[in-house]
Amino acid sequence: MKKEEEIDQQKEDSDSDYQLSTDEEEDKSKTSWLAKKKSAVARLAVSSPVGKALLKRSVDEETILLLNTLKTIISKEDNLKQAKQIKKDIISIAIKILLLY
């Protein structure tokens, strides 16, 4: 008789564990959906005038001067195309950070 009770108890425990994991998965999928949407908005803002205006409003003159100087140094060491690409990448990362965090 005790063995049957133990088996029933184990079944109940495993059912409650399954229910908990299902709830956790639903919460995780909701947050990942929201994160995807935020990331998509940030990606769109990078190439828009609104994103560039947000960056100019959020950073000081020294940071902009640093980016321009970095572009100049890279263009002298490597080439202008790569310098522009690196500056664009840094700006896009900065805009995403501003919007997502």
Side-chain angles (χ1 to χ4, degrees):
M1 200 55 129
K2 287 187 177 186
K3 287 185 178 182
E4 290 177 3
E5 290 176 5
E6 288 177 9
I7 291 173
D8 289 340
Q9 182 65 30
Q10 288 176 350
K11 285 182 181 178
E12 289 176 9
D13 290 342
S14 66
D15 288 344
S16 65
D17 289 343
Y18 176 74
Q19 183 64 33
L20 181 65
S21 65
T22 305
D23 291 341
E24 289 173 355
E25 288 175 6
E26 288 177 9
D27 290 341
K28 196 175 205 180
S29 67
K30 287 179 186 177
T31 57
S32 66
W33 178 83
L34 184 60
K36 286 179 185 178
K37 295 302 175 187
K38 284 182 178 180
S39 180
V41 168
R43 208 173 22 253
L44 290 173
V46 166
S47 60
S48 73
V50 174
K52 291 180 172 68
L54 174 69
L55 182 68
K56 285 181 181 178
R57 188 174 48 118
S58 300
V59 299
D60 55 355
E61 288 183 29
E62 293 174 347
T63 306
I64 294 173
L65 180 64
L66 179 67
L67 285 173
N68 291 333
T69 306
L70 178 68
K71 179 182 168 188
T72 305
I73 292 171
I74 293 172
S75 65
K76 287 182 180 178
E77 290 295 320
D78 214 2
N79 60 22
L80 184 61
K81 182 179 179 181
Q82 187 170 1
K84 287 181 180 179
Q85 184 62 41
I86 289 174
K87 183 179 178 184
K88 181 182 174 186
D89 291 344
I90 291 172
I91 289 173
S92 69
I93 290 169
I95 291 172
K96 286 180 184 180
I97 289 171
L98 288 170
L99 291 175
L100 296 176
Y101 298 103

